Amino acid sequence: MSDVKDFLANVEPIRRHREAAQLDAMFREITGWAPVLYKGGMLGYGRYDYTYTSGRTGSWLATGFAPRKAKLSIYIMPGYADFDAILARLGKHTKGKSCLYLNKLEYADMDVLAELIRAGLRDLASRWPVHAT
């Protein structure tokens, strides 16, 4: 946990530091889980265990974020295929397969972001076992 605290204390620039603190509070409230610091500066809340059809197994963060200097990365696993209606109400963003990018947190509707995180966790739990961190 001290790794998480140290990580959050050292996020730069100051605007990103404030956004990271806001997101951490939001993710903690929504999930009820403490974050784990993953390689690459990702904070994960909860984890899921997966098994692919190939037989490959593993564990990964259930949801979380990374406060990158250029953009905030929000992770909703395993992807955004079914969330277009929610994303349409979110505000200015771009997306990848399982990652949402925000230039500034102020561009996003925070209630819609919370809705998206909850929807992502429900979808993930319907596919894979999700565990607290």
Side-chain angles (χ1 to χ4, degrees), residues 72-118:
L72 294 164
S73 300
I74 312 292
Y75 303 104
I76 307 292
M77 306 303 182
Y80 286 93
D82 302 319
F83 302 127
D84 287 342
I86 299 172
L87 288 168
R89 296 182 286 113
L90 179 63
K92 188 176 177 181
H93 70 278
T94 57
K95 65 180 182 172
K97 183 171 174 71
S98 59
C99 188
L100 174 76
Y101 301 105
L102 301 170
N103 287 335
K104 294 182 181 180
L105 199 53
E106 69 189 49
Y107 292 163
D109 181 310
M110 297 305 287
D111 291 333
V112 175
L113 181 57
E115 179 185 348
L116 179 63
I117 294 165
R118 287 184 186 99

Side-chain angles (χ1 to χ4, degrees), residues 1 23-36 44-47 62-64 114 117-118 121 130-133:
M1 187 62 178
L23 283 172
D24 177 49
M26 173 186 266
F27 275 91
R28 286 174 188 261
E29 181 180 330
I30 290 169
T31 66
W33 301 323
V36 171
Y45 300 78
R47 67 176 175 80
T63 191
I117 294 165
R118 287 184 186 99
L121 284 170
V130 177
H131 309 280
T133 49

